Amino acid sequence: MIDLSPLERYETPPHFKETLSRFFLGRRLSLNTAVAKIVLQCRGLSKKGQFTSAEYYAASDRLRNVFESHGARFEITGLQNLKQDQPCVIVANHMSLLETQVLPWVVGSFNPVSIVMKKSLYDSWIFHPVAVATQCISLTRKNLRADIDVIMKEGVEYLNQGRSILLFPEGTRKKYFCREEFNSLGIKLAVRAGVKVIPIALKTDFLVNGKYISDYGTLHPERKVHIHIGEALTVEGRGKKEHQVVLDFLETNLKSWGVEIKEKGDGS
């Protein structure tokens, strides 16, 4: 496993060679097969009670390697901002499957992390044992009040145990960014727990969502994977100012990478 903790940035080595398997199986099929193999290995270890945090972050790093071997080129910056004396709430925009696979390695290089995910994924046959083993938090995304109660209860408990919380306030994958669709749930959790917030801006459209099955989309090696970690924010009062700072950070970075910025109700 590549340890990111001493680094401020990580970039895919220019000499990194792609796997030859893509020429025989097709790039997309080869990637899906490799990802499924790692996930099933994690599931097997989880069922046996042997899936440790170290195994989790190492598996996430192997997934990073899989993406790179299929053409992904990473540029991860701001890693020094994850070096904190206490756990934090980490909020990121959500573009593809890629970030959910790779961010555990990125964040886990610095601090234990629990991910907030949708209940359907948490309860799925393939992922449930892994979700339990890695202390994920499950939200319905249908009952807002119930979801807030869950994340405030479990999120605070995990933060008090020394685990950072990673969540995607948009709730679903979006190829664009709209400020009004990025909620302040992460800020609210940070206020309740008395911890800092770290924003992460990411552009992961190397992997495009599939038309019929979202996890099975096309690959675009010409699109660099950008992950930029912002400075930790101390939240004051109800956090309205800090929420705007997070939105400004995300919008500025995403716009600089060519991501579409939408206004609420623009109909596009």
Side-chain angles (χ1 to χ4, degrees):
M1 172 178 164
I2 296 177
D3 181 13
L4 297 176
S5 61
L7 307 178
E8 292 189 0
R9 65 185 296 125
Y10 168 84
E11 291 187 73
T12 301
H15 61 275
F16 197 98
K17 294 183 179 180
E18 296 181 33
T19 178
L20 291 177
S21 63
R22 69 181 180 87
F23 296 109
F24 299 104
L25 299 176
R27 191 192 298 261
R28 183 174 64 178
L29 177 58
S30 176
L31 174 67
N32 292 339
T33 301
V35 169
K37 181 179 179 180
I38 293 173
V39 172
L40 287 172
Q41 289 172 343
C42 295
R43 183 182 189 278
L45 290 173
S46 299
K47 292 281 287 183
K48 296 176 183 178
Q50 299 173 356
F51 195 55
T52 64
S53 293
E55 290 280 357
Y56 181 33
Y57 308 138
S60 177
D61 184 33
R62 292 199 301 275
L63 287 164
R64 182 270 315 160
N65 186 275
V66 165
F67 286 116
E68 286 181 325
S69 69
H70 288 77
R73 294 296 175 263
F74 285 82
E75 183 178 280
I76 305 174
T77 53
L79 288 167
Q80 70 279 3
N81 294 321
L82 290 172
K83 297 178 182 179
Q84 301 294 324
D85 295 331
Q86 62 175 355
C88 299
V89 174
I90 301 167
V91 294
N93 62 297
H94 196 10
M95 186 170 283
S96 76
L97 173 72
L98 188 150
E99 59 262 20
T100 61
Q101 306 297 308
V102 172
L103 283 181
W105 160 62
V106 175
V107 179
S109 290
F110 298 86
N111 200 68
V113 60
S114 292
I115 298 179
V116 178
M117 63 176 58
K118 59 184 179 181
K119 189 175 188 300
S120 59
L121 177 60
Y122 185 95
D123 291 340
S124 66
W125 173 86
I126 191 169
F127 202 73
H128 182 67
V130 177
V132 173
T134 57
Q135 297 177 276
C136 292
I137 298 175
S138 166
L139 300 184
T140 65
R141 293 185 183 167
K142 295 179 180 179
N143 186 326
L144 179 59
R145 174 50 57 190
D147 285 347
I148 291 176
D149 290 343
V150 168
I151 198 169
M152 290 302 164
K153 180 178 183 296
E154 296 185 19
V156 170
E157 287 179 359
Y158 286 150
L159 286 161
N160 288 339
Q161 294 171 16
R163 302 183 66 86
S164 289
I165 302 296
L166 169 62
L167 68 157
F168 303 96
E170 290 167 307
T172 189
R173 304 170 193 172
K174 300 179 186 294
K175 63 180 181 180
Y176 62 88
F177 180 72
C178 177
R179 297 172 72 100
E180 285 76 11
E181 294 176 7
F182 193 95
N183 68 52
S184 59
L185 189 55
I187 296 290
K188 290 181 172 64
L189 175 59
V191 169
R192 178 70 62 89
V195 300
K196 294 181 179 180
V197 170
I198 297 177
I200 297 182
L202 50 87
K203 179 179 181 288
T204 60
D205 55 354
F206 157 80
L207 177 61
V208 175
N209 295 331
K211 183 176 181 181
Y212 301 106
I213 303 177
S214 60
D215 290 346
Y216 294 90
T218 56
L219 308 185
H220 292 269
E222 74 279 7
R223 300 173 182 173
K224 180 177 285 189
V225 176
H226 291 279
I227 299 176
H228 181 46
I229 299 127
E231 295 182 0
L233 303 172
T234 299
V235 184
E236 300 179 356
R238 299 177 64 181
K240 290 186 177 181
K241 180 181 71 174
E242 288 74 27
H243 182 57
Q244 293 304 312
V245 171
V246 168
L247 295 176
D248 290 343
F249 171 83
L250 294 172
E251 184 173 318
T252 299
N253 282 280
L254 294 171
K255 188 174 183 179
S256 73
W257 298 329
V259 175
E260 180 185 3
I261 306 299
K262 283 190 177 185
E263 300 293 333
K264 184 177 180 180
D266 64 3
S268 59

